[in-house]
Amino acid sequence: MTEAAELPPVPEEAREVFGERFADAVRYAELLAEAGVQRGLIGPREVPRLWERHLLNCAVLSEAVPEGVTVCDVGSGAGLPGIPLALVRDDLNITLLEPLLRRTNFLTEVVELLGLDHVTVVRGRAEEVLGKLPPVHVVTARAVAPLDRLATWGIPLLRPYGEMLALKGDTAEEELKAAATALSKLGAVETSILHVGEGVVDPLSTVVRVEVGESPGGVRFAAKRAKAARTGRARRRR
């Protein structure tokens, strides 16, 4: 079994960012450093930088998320960015979407332990739940895949005029340029790069925002969604 690494001191910025949920954020950090490492969800080398690189880096994504919307965190993994986002924004209705059982088990335990009533854990791949989950206003993701591939999974889950927010690193601009054609085919109408977390994280967190029009995923996915919806209605009538 992997030894759990020691957590660093909690940065002062965390108290301000997480507010009333600060104690829950500390507990989540402890769970990541213990069960998260032991179950292979994060590497032990990540523990010393859990706060700055992971929890705070993800929590500041809230600056880009509108109020009171539905969110699907695609490939949620150990809950990043979905759980930090949930801790700072109880106005959001968040779905943590993750295909691997050991990860969804961990996510379910965290959600129950922290009392995150506005968070739902769903096991599955984005392409498998298309038409089964209600379309959302916002899709989030972090370190899941290159932007062009991530878009094929995330954008079809959006409702018309929704947006995908992907936490990226130094390659954000290059990925956005490389994905331009694919994004256009998927119904994207506007893209931008945001930098969030002023006064909280250094360097700032980089977010690629992809806004869609009335047909998220393009014509192909619109037809697929419609077919899945018809199948669902037929099943309910039985």
Side-chain angles (χ1 to χ4, degrees), residues 93-229:
N93 189 330
I94 300 176
T95 297
L96 306 179
L97 182 62
E98 169 56 47
L100 295 184
L101 180 61
R102 63 188 172 90
R103 292 176 180 168
T104 54
N105 284 343
F106 176 79
L107 293 173
T108 300
E109 291 167 16
V110 171
V111 166
E112 291 177 354
L113 182 65
L114 302 185
L116 298 174
D117 298 333
H118 57 306
V119 177
T120 303
V121 178
V122 174
R123 185 185 176 197
R125 301 183 184 278
E127 57 270 31
E128 296 170 346
V129 302
L130 184 63
K132 299 176 183 177
L133 292 181
V136 296
H137 297 91
V138 177
V139 162
T140 60
R142 177 179 186 256
V144 174
L147 187 61
D148 54 352
R149 197 187 323 157
L150 173 62
T152 65
W153 301 332
I155 288 181
L157 300 177
L158 291 169
R159 46 189 293 169
Y161 307 104
E163 58 186 340
M164 183 175 73
L165 300 173
L167 278 163
K168 289 288 182 179
D170 297 336
T171 62
E173 192 169 339
E174 290 81 359
E175 283 194 50
L176 190 52
K177 288 179 180 177
T181 300
L183 293 174
S184 179
K185 289 180 179 178
L186 288 166
V189 294
E190 189 170 340
T191 61
S192 55
I193 295 178
L194 313 176
H195 298 284
V196 295
E198 183 72 42
V200 178
V201 290
D202 184 18
L204 300 179
S205 298
T206 301
V207 182
V208 175
R209 169 182 273 159
V210 179
E211 300 172 69
V212 300
E214 61 182 14
S215 298
V219 176
R220 173 171 159 248
F221 285 100
K224 188 173 181 179
R225 268 196 304 271
K227 181 180 179 182

